[in-house]
Amino acid sequence: MSSDKKLQEMQILEQNLQNLLLQKQAFQMELSETTSALQEIEKSGDEIFKIIGQLMIKSEKSKIKEELLNKEKILNTRIKSFEKQEDFISEKLEKIREEVMKDIKK
C-alpha cells in the first residue's frame, strides 16, 4: 500500500474514531442520567411520575425502576461495544502510523 493510501486510511480511521467517541459520550451521558434517576427513585416515596411526550403520568415505582435498570444494562452493553470498536480502530490506526513512519524514514 502506498504512503498516500496509508495516510488516507489514517484520516478515515481518525474520523471514524472521533465519531465513535462522540456516540460513546452521548451514551455515557444517558447512562449518567439513568443512574441518577435510579438513585432518586430509591430516595422517593411511592408516588412516581414519568414524562411521556408532553405529559407527566403517575406510574408504579417498581415498574419505572425495572425500566430504568433494563435501560442501564442496555446502555452499559452499548458502551462496552463502543469501547471494543474504539480499541480495534486505535490499534489499526497505530499500526498504520508505524508503517507510515517507516516509509518516511526510508
Side-chain angles (χ1 to χ4, degrees):
M1 188 184 305
S2 72
S3 290
D4 287 342
K5 287 193 180 212
K6 287 177 187 176
L7 288 172
Q8 190 175 30
E9 186 175 354
M10 274 179 57
Q11 288 175 333
I12 291 168
L13 287 171
E14 286 170 349
Q15 288 174 343
N16 290 344
L17 185 58
Q18 186 65 32
N19 289 336
L20 192 66
L21 292 172
L22 289 172
Q23 290 175 15
K24 183 176 109 177
Q25 184 180 30
F27 279 100
Q28 286 171 326
M29 287 175 56
E30 192 172 348
L31 177 60
S32 178
E33 291 172 2
T34 302
T35 303
S36 293
L38 279 166
Q39 290 170 352
E40 289 302 316
I41 282 179
E42 292 303 319
K43 296 177 192 175
S44 71
D46 290 334
E47 202 168 68
I48 300 286
F49 294 88
K50 180 179 180 177
I51 296 174
I52 301 175
Q54 296 183 10
L55 299 174
M56 187 180 293
I57 299 173
K58 188 174 180 179
S59 297
E60 291 179 36
K61 184 176 181 176
S62 61
K63 185 178 177 184
I64 298 295
K65 185 175 179 179
E66 184 180 334
E67 286 176 17
L68 289 172
L69 286 170
N70 286 335
K71 184 176 182 179
E72 186 178 49
K73 285 179 191 174
I74 291 168
L75 290 170
N76 276 318
T77 302
R78 298 283 307 265
I79 290 169
K80 285 177 187 173
S81 174
F82 281 122
E83 288 170 348
K84 285 180 184 177
Q85 291 176 40
E86 181 183 347
D87 289 344
F88 176 77
I89 291 173
S90 293
E91 287 175 19
K92 193 170 180 180
L93 190 55
E94 187 58 35
K95 183 179 176 186
I96 293 172
R97 263 195 200 114
E98 289 173 5
E99 291 174 8
V100 168
M101 293 306 288
K102 284 180 186 176
D103 290 347
I104 292 173
K105 290 180 181 179
K106 286 183 181 177

